[in-house]
Amino acid sequence: ASAYHWAELIISTQLGKQTMKTLYFKLRAFVVTWLMRLLPRNPPIVFKGPDSSMTLCDQLAILGYTKVIIVTDNFLASSGLLDGIKARLTELKVEYAVFDGVLPDPAFDQVQRGEAMLRTERCQAVIGVGGGSVLDAAKMIAMLHTNPGTLDSFERLQPCKKIGLPVFAIPTTAGTGSEITLAAVITDPVSHRKVPVVDSKMIPGYIALDPEIMKGMPPGITAATGMDALTHAVESYLSTASTESTEAHARGAISLIFKFLTRAYHDGSDMPARDGMAMASFYAGAAFGKTSVGYVHGIAHQLGRVCGTPHGNANAMVLPEVLAAYGDCVHPRLADLAILVGINEQGETTTELAGKFIQAIIDMRAELELPLQPKELNAVDIPEIVDEAISEAGSLYPVPRYMSPEELTIIVNRLRAA
């Protein structure tokens, strides 16, 4: 009887701890969500369509900037992709310096080097040309110039006292949505910890969604970044912080991705498909920039940190698993999306439709030939991955249901067996 009493006490205590932890997560997510809604946001000016990057350069000159820094990576700098932009700037008598030191998952020391070049060259504005890593670095370089400090000083909501230099964003991939979000993810070069810097002053002022810039994107990058955009849109749609506005953007993104992603993957020169995916990424960024994401990103970020898995690939690995694990609470929402993309039949239940939507993602992932397993995912790494994913998603994201460590462990273990 005594043993039974103590066992009952231990169980009730553990359940109490779990309940309190869940309540803490819900309260924190509620506070963060409302703070995000209250942040002042200046809507960017967006140029869209073929050669819109040239229009963006024209507007830069009209606004009176005479010297800019182009932030990019080494591959893009040597690929010839920047030639048209540089030629147009020269024609407009706008001088430029090129910083091509951005690497995937940019570290703070890269941002510091970019800012040092900006300062030395006395540039007045920043043009970011690249994928999410480049745009994150460009945004951070512009903010660091007017808000000097260490990475730790940026690790809080709305950390910047002064506005940064003007940022002109030209995304070369259709996935991250960094061109429209108020955040940048910057890596600590020592601990390799990814630090989200969130400030409404980081939203670029001018954006060019130019499919001509994106047509040379390799199929593998097209697939991975497209799945990243899909994850942003789906997690935003499922967020408890979603609103009528964010849901419209999320649904628009999902509809475009199901229509155009595989087309862009199979034929990179398909301009309507490239244009549609550029718009999808933008819509998805507009949605999750206000609602945040969920457990898919919580796990994917850890796979990137521990295994070096590219972010879009990690999201593609995890998305169907997490959607299935959420269970009944997301079935009505996923059923809506199944109807949206036209895979429904009359008389199907919400559970059946939710299952069809998850299967459609799995089928798309297979057609895109995306990897299903992270490289060098070891069993000893799983407890840390789960703990960090719970800490990130549980305390920051307004998820539809809080999952237990056991549930997340099953999800990550399945990746090893995929």
Side-chain angles (χ1 to χ4, degrees):
S2 177
Y4 176 82
H5 169 74
W6 281 108
E8 186 179 47
L9 180 62
I10 290 170
I11 290 170
S12 65
T13 301
Q14 290 302 314
L15 287 175
K17 286 181 179 178
Q18 187 63 39
T19 301
M20 291 300 293
K21 191 173 187 179
T22 299
L23 287 173
Y24 167 74
F25 282 164
K26 286 184 177 180
L27 178 60
R28 182 182 171 92
F30 175 81
V31 171
V32 170
T33 296
W34 275 101
L35 286 174
M36 292 283 283
R37 288 182 181 179
L38 293 172
L39 292 179
R41 301 170 191 245
N42 291 323
I45 295 172
V46 181
F47 307 101
K48 177 184 176 297
D51 292 328
S52 55
S53 55
M54 299 297 103
T55 305
L56 181 139
C57 292
D58 294 343
Q59 297 305 311
L60 184 149
I62 289 170
L63 290 169
Y65 300 110
T66 57
K67 188 162 188 181
V68 299
I69 184 169
I70 300 174
V71 176
T72 189
D73 59 42
N74 183 261
F75 171 76
L76 291 174
S78 59
S79 69
L81 188 68
L82 302 180
D83 291 351
I85 294 169
K86 292 192 287 188
R88 180 59 67 92
L89 291 175
T90 299
E91 180 185 338
L92 295 166
K93 296 182 172 51
V94 177
E95 296 182 49
Y96 59 84
V98 177
F99 176 71
D100 62 1
V102 181
L103 300 175
D105 300 319
F108 191 60
D109 55 351
Q110 297 162 36
V111 171
Q112 290 173 309
R113 288 197 294 273
E115 192 280 327
M117 177 184 284
L118 181 155
R119 190 170 4 98
T120 301
E121 296 287 341
R122 298 187 178 184
C123 298
Q124 304 156 330
V126 178
I127 302 179
V129 186
S133 293
V134 166
L135 297 185
D136 279 4
K139 287 153 65 173
M140 195 65 198
I141 287 169
M143 295 307 299
L144 182 63
H145 184 67
T146 54
N147 299 270
T150 63
L151 182 58
D152 290 344
S153 66
F154 290 95
E155 196 174 0
R156 65 183 188 277
L157 189 63
Q158 206 75 355
C160 302
K161 294 181 180 179
K162 299 178 181 179
I163 61 172
L165 290 189
V167 176
F168 294 74
I170 305 176
T172 60
T173 62
T176 68
S178 181
E179 68 274 10
I180 185 58
T181 64
L182 46 66
V185 178
I186 304 298
T187 302
D188 184 320
V190 178
S191 67
H192 304 293
R193 185 172 59 92
K194 298 181 187 300
V195 177
V197 181
V198 181
D199 195 302
S200 59
K201 293 185 284 295
M202 293 186 72
I203 300 174
Y206 307 86
I207 302 165
L209 302 177
D210 190 343
E212 286 288 340
I213 289 283
M214 300 179 184
K215 71 180 179 182
M217 200 191 322
I221 302 292
T222 298
T225 54
M227 290 299 290
D228 190 18
L230 179 63
T231 304
H232 290 153
V234 172
E235 291 209 291
S236 175
Y237 194 69
L238 298 181
S239 168
T240 60
S242 67
T243 65
E244 190 173 326
S245 171
T246 63
E247 288 168 12
H249 285 135
R251 288 169 64 87
I254 292 164
S255 179
L256 288 167
I257 290 166
F258 269 82
K259 184 176 181 179
F260 290 121
L261 176 54
T262 54
R263 276 178 53 177
Y265 171 74
H266 289 300
D267 181 5
S269 62
D270 183 336
M271 285 297 100
R274 289 294 192 196
D275 191 53
M277 284 305 301
M279 206 68 234
S281 177
F282 180 84
Y283 280 152
F288 92 88
K290 294 180 180 177
T291 63
S292 206
V293 282
Y295 281 110
V296 180
H297 273 75
I299 297 172
H301 286 153
Q302 309 319 314
L303 296 178
R305 179 178 60 84
V306 174
C307 307
T309 309
H311 183 61
N313 290 350
N315 278 332
M317 294 172 189
V318 179
L319 179 58
E321 294 282 351
V322 169
L323 296 183
Y326 274 136
D328 295 351
C329 70
V330 299
H331 285 178
R333 290 295 228 183
L334 296 183
D336 289 344
L337 297 180
I339 295 169
L340 174 71
V341 299
I343 56 175
N344 61 302
E345 294 182 14
Q346 190 172 0
E348 290 178 312
T349 66
T350 56
T351 297
E352 289 170 334
L353 288 169
K356 288 183 78 170
F357 184 74
I358 294 171
Q359 186 60 48
I361 294 173
I362 293 171
D363 294 343
M364 182 190 294
R365 185 177 66 181
E367 183 174 350
L368 297 173
E369 300 180 292
L370 286 162
L372 302 180
Q373 283 183 306
K375 294 179 181 178
E376 299 180 6
L377 174 58
N378 300 312
V380 294
D381 296 322
I382 292 177
E384 180 191 355
I385 289 173
V386 169
D387 286 346
E388 292 296 323
I390 287 176
S391 177
E392 177 182 329
S395 62
L396 292 177
Y397 306 150
V399 294
R401 179 175 74 79
Y402 289 96
M403 295 192 198
S404 67
E406 292 75 20
E407 289 176 293
L408 293 191
T409 299
I410 290 171
I411 291 170
V412 180
N413 264 318
R414 282 179 180 161
L415 297 179
R416 298 185 68 234

